[in-house]
Amino acid sequence: MPRSRGQLWFIAFLFAAMAVAGTLAYQRFRAGDIQLAEGRRAYDAGRFDLAEKAFERSVTHNPRNAGAWYWLGLSRKNQGRSAEAAEAFARATAL
């Protein structure tokens, strides 16, 4: 069945919108990975305060990243904040 010109424009718009949405979602996911790597470097250097901030940014970008929640918990634990660490560990294990 032939489509009208308006329908074709609408379909083209939908595909473009999906492509943009997919790109933005990937960039957000990727930003979380970059923050996770930054946090790991800070953690390995013993800078638990900086690591915590990076892991917090990572879970903001990708809240379903269990690894980021785990490292956030470790960073908090190494700063003597056991209750906050337990919350982060709980989030990690819930995923």
Side-chain angles (χ1 to χ4, degrees):
M1 166 154 86
R3 303 219 183 257
S4 72
R5 197 172 192 175
Q7 288 174 325
L8 292 176
W9 278 107
F10 181 72
I11 291 170
F13 172 77
L14 284 178
F15 277 116
M18 288 189 306
V20 168
T23 300
L24 292 175
Y26 175 75
Q27 288 175 346
R28 184 173 170 92
F29 179 80
R30 186 71 185 127
D33 286 347
I34 292 168
Q35 295 301 322
L36 181 61
E38 182 182 312
R40 290 288 309 271
R41 283 191 297 275
Y43 185 92
D44 290 344
R47 297 295 313 268
F48 304 120
D49 56 332
L50 294 177
E52 177 186 14
K53 289 177 182 149
F55 296 135
E56 285 174 345
R57 288 190 302 269
S58 181
V59 298
T60 298
H61 288 292
N62 184 6
R64 298 204 41 84
N65 186 337
W69 284 106
Y70 170 77
W71 286 102
L72 178 59
L74 285 179
S75 296
R76 289 175 174 172
K77 181 177 180 279
N78 281 301
Q79 294 178 78
R81 296 172 27 220
S82 299
E84 292 174 81
E87 291 174 18
F89 290 137
R91 291 287 299 265
T93 56
L95 298 172

